[in-house]
Amino acid sequence: SSAASDVYKRQISEKIKAGARQVDIINVRGQRYIGVGLDSTVRLKIFGTPGNCLANLNKSLEIEVFGNVQDDVGDVMTGGRVIIHGDARDVLAQALQGGVIYVKGNAGNRCGIQMREYRDRRPVLMIGGRVDDYLGEYMAGGVIIILGLNYLDTDVEIVGDCVASGMVGGTIYIRGKVSPGKIGLNPPRGDVIQYLRGLVLDGRLSIEEYEAIESLEDFTLDTLREMLPPEVVKHVSKLYLNKYWKELVVEYRRLNDSDMAMIGPHFEEFGKVFDLRKEIDRVVKEEYFTVIRPKPAAATRVEEPEEG
């Protein structure tokens, strides 16, 4: 309740004024707004399950949670660090602008949406498990890293649908191969196939070209650009082009020196705080990542869709 949350805030503030460097909070059962409005370098150790809005607007606190967290952790956080030893739910790190959030387990929908950075202030969200839909939606800066450590040596995709939809800045690293249809806000596959079938009936597309696309389990507008004539792409592009669709650069590769210069320290820290050094070392040295960035404006290629 709000009353219980106010009690927590008042008691924590009293501890800080008395000179405490660390405050332990035990038996937490859904109390909201913990850490909100506290401008201090004190460390909070939380035992239990904090409620919504943990660490919102955080500037400098270090918060460590020995349990799971509920929705909306780290909203508009500009500094400090949040460490979660369990799972997180929806809207984690919304509009994260600074500091780091580490989650050992899984997380829900719309993680890292509207993340942003300014000058040398680059926020980092790192998740050890998997996430659900809309990861990095409208992302404008910062770094998201999804490791899926519980799914090593499996074919399980560790992200949901609509990854990086509307993304205009920052970088997303996802261990393993992500299906192209999960990246961005793509039209349903069936709609595209039906539209191409209509172009075959109109004589604008050969049956061989149609069957080549129809045989694919997954494809994107870039796939169609590579396999179909430009005039056909102009027609079908109308299914893709909308205000939520952005051109993205998607690579499937090992981490390179440039990547490690930016995120290497976070791998080291993540392995240390969760005692996962062996797993992190393997991931860095042996695993491939899907790396997603927005395409530079000068390189963006947009077809003018045909009318009708």
Side-chain angles (χ1 to χ4, degrees):
S1 69
S2 297
S5 299
D6 290 340
V7 171
Y8 268 105
K9 184 176 180 179
R10 184 176 67 253
Q11 292 176 338
I12 294 169
S13 297
E14 290 172 356
K15 294 286 186 181
I16 293 172
K17 289 178 182 178
R21 303 287 296 274
Q22 175 178 307
V23 178
D24 294 353
I25 311 173
I26 62 173
N27 294 329
V28 177
R29 298 180 181 178
Q31 285 82 2
R32 298 172 290 173
Y33 310 116
I34 297 176
V36 176
L38 296 174
D39 187 4
S40 171
T41 57
V42 73
R43 184 179 187 187
L44 303 183
K45 297 181 75 171
I46 300 173
F47 298 86
T49 303
N52 293 359
C53 305
L54 171 73
N56 282 194
L57 303 165
N58 185 32
K59 295 180 180 179
S60 54
L61 292 173
E62 177 166 322
I63 300 175
E64 188 165 11
V65 180
F66 296 89
N68 301 321
V69 297
Q70 296 181 358
D71 295 347
D72 201 33
V73 172
D75 195 332
V76 199
M77 185 168 122
T78 59
R81 186 168 75 156
V82 177
I83 299 169
I84 300 163
H85 286 263
D87 296 330
R89 286 316 308 150
D90 296 341
V91 204
L92 170 70
Q94 176 176 215
L96 183 66
Q97 301 178 39
V100 299
I101 297 178
Y102 297 149
V103 180
K104 183 177 183 180
N106 302 320
N109 296 292
R110 289 193 157 89
C111 296
I113 68 172
Q114 301 177 11
M115 277 178 62
R116 62 201 70 178
E117 63 186 71
Y118 180 69
R119 294 184 177 176
D120 61 344
R121 192 166 65 190
R122 177 183 290 141
V124 174
L125 171 63
M126 195 167 187
I127 296 173
R130 71 174 307 280
V131 297
D132 294 327
D133 299 340
Y134 294 100
L135 174 72
E137 184 181 30
Y138 305 125
M139 184 176 177
V143 179
I144 296 176
I145 307 163
I146 309 298
L147 298 174
L149 297 178
N150 292 338
Y151 302 94
L152 287 167
D153 301 319
T154 75
D155 294 329
V156 174
E157 292 195 58
I158 60 175
V159 293
D161 293 329
C162 302
V163 175
S165 58
M167 180 184 189
V168 296
T171 308
I172 299 176
Y173 295 89
I174 302 166
R175 183 194 58 76
K177 182 74 171 177
V178 177
S179 299
K182 284 180 172 284
I183 300 173
L185 189 61
N186 295 298
R189 180 183 183 280
D191 290 358
V192 179
I193 293 298
Q194 184 176 5
Y195 191 88
L196 292 175
R197 188 181 298 119
L199 294 179
V200 173
L201 296 175
D202 287 345
R204 302 186 186 190
L205 180 66
S206 72
I207 188 65
E208 291 80 14
E209 290 168 325
Y210 165 78
E211 289 178 345
I213 298 298
E214 200 273 337
S215 67
L216 300 175
E217 290 187 13
D218 199 1
F219 52 79
T220 65
L221 183 56
D222 279 338
T223 310
L224 301 182
R225 286 170 174 159
E226 293 170 1
M227 299 179 65
L228 298 177
E231 287 304 311
V232 171
V233 175
K234 281 188 177 182
H235 284 287
V236 76
S237 65
K238 72 166 114 180
L239 299 179
Y240 287 85
L241 303 182
N242 58 68
K243 65 181 180 179
Y244 305 109
W245 184 87
K246 301 293 182 182
E247 291 263 24
L248 299 171
V249 176
V250 181
E251 303 172 285
Y252 181 58
R253 58 174 174 78
R254 292 271 177 85
L255 299 177
N256 57 35
D257 291 343
S258 177
D259 299 318
M260 293 308 294
M262 179 170 62
I263 62 177
H266 296 287
F267 277 112
E268 183 176 351
E269 189 175 33
F270 192 94
K272 180 179 179 181
V273 298
F274 295 126
D275 194 21
L276 291 169
R277 294 181 181 88
K278 183 178 179 180
E279 292 84 351
I280 293 297
D281 187 60
R282 171 188 166 176
V283 162
V284 170
K285 293 180 178 178
E286 301 179 11
E287 296 291 321
Y288 281 75
F289 280 73
T290 298
V291 184
I292 307 171
R293 295 185 176 91
K295 186 171 288 187
T300 299
R301 177 174 44 163
V302 176
E303 289 84 4
E304 290 296 330
E306 294 288 331
E307 295 295 330

